[in-house]
Every structure is written in C-alpha cells, then in structure tokens.
Amino acid sequence: MRLGLNIGFVFGGDDHLDHLRLVKEAERLGFSVTWAAEAYGSDAATLLTWIAAQTSTIDVGAAVFQIPARTPAMTAMTAATLDRLSGGRFRLGLGVSGPQVSEGWHGVRFDKPLARTREYVAIVNAAMRRETVAFEGEHFTLPLPGGPGKPLKLSIHPLRDHVPVYLAAVGPKNLELAGEIADGWLGILNDPAYLGEQLKHIATGREARSEGLDGFDVVASVPVMTGDDLQVAADPIRGYAALYIGGMGSREKNFYNALAIRMGYAEEAKRIQDLYLAKQHRDAMAAVPHGFIDSISLLGGKERMAEKLTAYAEAGATTVALTPFAPTVEQRIADLRTVAEALELAGVGE
C-alpha cells in the first residue's frame, strides 16, 4: 500500500505556498502521488502544473477534473500536456460533479451521468492514443454532422499513449463503471470495514473486461489528525463530514448522504442534512457521530494509525490519500511524517 496527499483547492493568500511545502515533504517521504481538486474556484490543472514544475518524483493527479467543465477533447489535450511537462507523472481523475455545480456553474444538464462518463472516457483514451477521433454517441458526437468539422488527431505527442484514468465514484453503479473503464477509483468517506462492500461493485465491473482487481488502484481518501485525545482530534474533521453528508447536493440528491445511509448511519445522516440545509451548520457538525469520524479517519498516535493502516490494506486499499486537518502547515507536515512512520510500523507499505 502506498501513501498519497490531498491538497484540495487554492482559496487565496499564501495557501498555495503551504500546499507546495506539504507536497515537497510528501515527495521526500516517498509518497506516490498528490491530488488536487476543483469545484467552482481554483482549477486543478493550473495547480498541478505549478506543483509538477517544482517536484521531480511524486505523481500529480486530478481529483477530479469535472466532466461538465471540459469537452473530452480538451481534457485529452490537458492530460497530454501535463503528462509531458511532468515527465510522465500525471494521473487523470474524472467525476461528473453534482447537479448543483453541473447545472448552476457549468450550465450542463446533469442527466445520465454513467452513460456520459463512459463516452467521455472513450474519447479521451482514443485521443491519447493519437487516433483520428470520430465518435457517435448519445452525449458526444465528433465531428458534428452537416458542418465544416472533420475528424482530428491530437497534435501533441504524449509521453504515454494512455494516462491512468481514475473515477470518483460513490454509488454502486458508478463503482461498477469505475471497475470496467478506469484504472483506479477515488473513494471518499472510506471506512475499511465498508470498503469490501464497495470493492464488490468494482470487481463486477472488472469482470466485464475479464480482469480482476490486480493492478487496479483503490484510493481511499482519509482525513488525518494526530493527538492524544481522540475526541479533540476528531473535531476539526466535523465540518468536512457535515458538509458532505448534509450540504453537498440537494435534499433529493446527495450522493454522500446516501453513502452514509448505506454505511449504517441513516438517522444520523437525515439529522445532519436537516440541520445543514436549515443553515444550522454548527449543529450539523455536532450531530456527526464521533464513531463515524473515527471510522473514516486516521486519529491519535503512530501506533493507533498503524493498526488502521493495516485495516485499510487488508480491506483492499492500495493507496491511502491523506487530507491533513491540523491548523498550521508545520503541524500538517508533522502529521505526514507520523503517518509515514505508522506505515513503516504496520509493515504494509510498498
């Protein structure tokens, strides 16, 4: 099992410099990859390019490029360029986002996300192979009929004819799709006790291409906070959990709320969502059970973290991508070092 680092977004000020310090420390510690996100603020491609220019061995991954934000051809262009500029260190994470961002920010209808994703990945892969791209699908048609367009070939020569594709998937059908068409899965709210259930769906998708899980990268996204008092260590993660369970989407369509329900927190998920949508955010944070936070996080000291990392490895995770929650960059760096030591102690590292 390998370690990764989630650096999230750029919000302003000097936080991008803090991100770079964290990535450089992760690179020094032997982490395999750093992941950057995007929603409706900073974009992932620019941040990853800046990071790649100042590192040499750690992979840079999009977690995720939003499918409604870019045409598949634009994503192939960006992936090919980033992969070449980074010396073959780019990983392409993709996700459909959610109805509010897709329709409210990008102006793209959130319909048939599975079929849209399947077509999107097929076009990206064809472009990366430098095929002359012609595609007729339900959601994408290249070139458009009846006009001056003609099939084109990617003009840049990628270092690789395939960059690793990861899908951010939450629901069972999306997990199955990830297994079928991707090289890895970007998970979230990952409890090792529930990971096996999710991997069953991914394995079904792998069967569709006559392959097993060997070589498929199972990326568990895991908050981390050191400290002797587990209750205190969990508190900074409450806002993150409440946002996803309560506010990431509408009452009718929140994929993370549905995930919490499948994980056995039906009553708690409803209460968190009710409070969050009523703008009682602090109460929503307080309503997140400590047991839930503990189950999806690395909390405590090195020995306790080593036990949890062993549980992730035994459950099938191949990468644990850390999201540090300490308030200062110095503390976050210290926490990365603690987890690296815990992985060595656990003896489950690559």
Side-chain angles (χ1 to χ4, degrees):
M1 192 170 67
R2 301 170 294 274
L3 293 178
L5 170 67
N6 293 319
I7 56 174
F9 313 101
V10 170
F11 291 104
D14 291 335
D15 60 347
H16 62 293
L17 300 178
D18 291 345
H19 289 332
L20 182 60
R21 285 186 62 188
L22 282 171
V23 173
K24 285 188 172 182
E25 179 62 18
E27 183 174 56
R28 187 190 71 80
L29 291 168
F31 283 37
S32 65
V33 61
T34 185
W35 300 97
E38 60 184 22
Y40 45 93
S42 61
D43 74 291
T46 304
L47 179 56
L48 291 173
T49 303
W50 184 71
I51 292 289
Q54 300 176 83
T55 55
S56 58
T57 58
I58 193 168
D59 281 8
V60 291
V64 296
F65 281 178
Q66 297 171 93
I67 284 175
R70 301 171 180 83
T71 66
M74 184 70 244
T75 290
M77 292 164 60
T78 304
T81 307
L82 254 170
D83 199 50
R84 175 160 285 280
L85 294 180
S86 67
R89 291 185 286 138
F90 180 61
R91 304 187 194 185
L92 175 59
L94 295 170
V96 291
S97 188
Q100 291 178 320
V101 172
S102 181
E103 299 192 10
W105 187 246
H106 297 301
V108 176
R109 288 293 178 199
F110 190 84
D111 61 340
K112 299 183 179 179
L114 298 182
R116 183 182 296 274
T117 300
R118 183 184 294 277
E119 292 184 13
Y120 197 99
V121 171
I123 295 170
V124 170
N125 286 339
M128 290 297 295
R129 293 191 297 267
R130 296 198 73 242
E131 297 176 3
T132 300
V133 179
F135 190 89
E136 290 188 26
E138 181 181 0
H139 301 279
F140 300 99
T141 301
L142 294 173
L144 289 175
K150 63 178 183 179
L152 295 173
K153 180 189 295 185
L154 187 68
S155 62
I156 184 175
H157 288 258
L159 284 179
R160 299 178 286 177
D161 62 6
H162 177 78
V163 296
V165 173
Y166 291 70
L167 290 190
V170 179
K173 290 297 183 183
N174 212 357
L175 290 168
E176 187 174 326
L177 182 67
E180 182 182 349
I181 70 172
D183 306 290
W185 166 52
L186 298 171
I188 193 167
L189 305 180
N190 292 124
D191 177 355
Y194 188 71
L195 198 58
E197 182 65 28
Q198 294 168 303
L199 291 184
K200 288 179 184 178
H201 300 294
I202 292 176
T204 298
R206 300 296 287 174
E207 290 171 4
R209 54 193 284 178
S210 300
E211 295 183 23
L213 287 171
D214 289 347
F216 186 87
D217 194 9
V218 176
V219 182
S221 181
V222 181
V224 57
M225 189 74 184
T226 58
D228 295 331
D229 188 323
L230 298 182
Q231 296 284 343
V232 173
D235 280 344
I237 303 168
R238 289 188 173 279
Y240 159 86
L243 169 63
Y244 276 91
I245 297 172
M248 197 68 78
S250 65
R251 186 180 299 277
E252 293 73 26
K253 189 166 286 187
N254 179 326
F255 306 120
Y256 311 98
N257 186 278
L259 172 60
I261 291 171
R262 290 195 296 273
M263 292 169 67
Y265 293 90
E267 293 183 9
E268 296 88 343
K270 182 181 185 305
R271 176 165 172 74
I272 294 165
Q273 186 178 63
D274 287 344
L275 290 167
Y276 204 98
L277 295 182
K279 300 190 182 304
Q280 299 177 37
H281 297 157
R282 290 188 178 181
D283 291 336
M285 291 165 58
V288 180
H290 173 78
F292 178 83
I293 297 173
D294 192 23
S295 72
I296 64 165
S297 307
L298 288 170
L299 302 177
K302 179 173 64 177
E303 290 74 16
R304 191 174 193 271
M305 290 183 178
E307 293 178 2
K308 189 67 169 286
L309 289 169
T310 299
Y312 276 113
E314 291 177 347
T318 53
T319 302
V320 169
L322 306 175
T323 305
F325 273 83
T328 69
V329 67
E330 289 77 16
Q331 288 174 288
R332 295 196 290 274
I333 287 173
D335 286 355
L336 295 185
R337 292 171 180 168
T338 298
V339 178
E341 292 172 1
L343 183 67
E344 184 175 359
L345 177 64
V348 295
E350 190 177 59

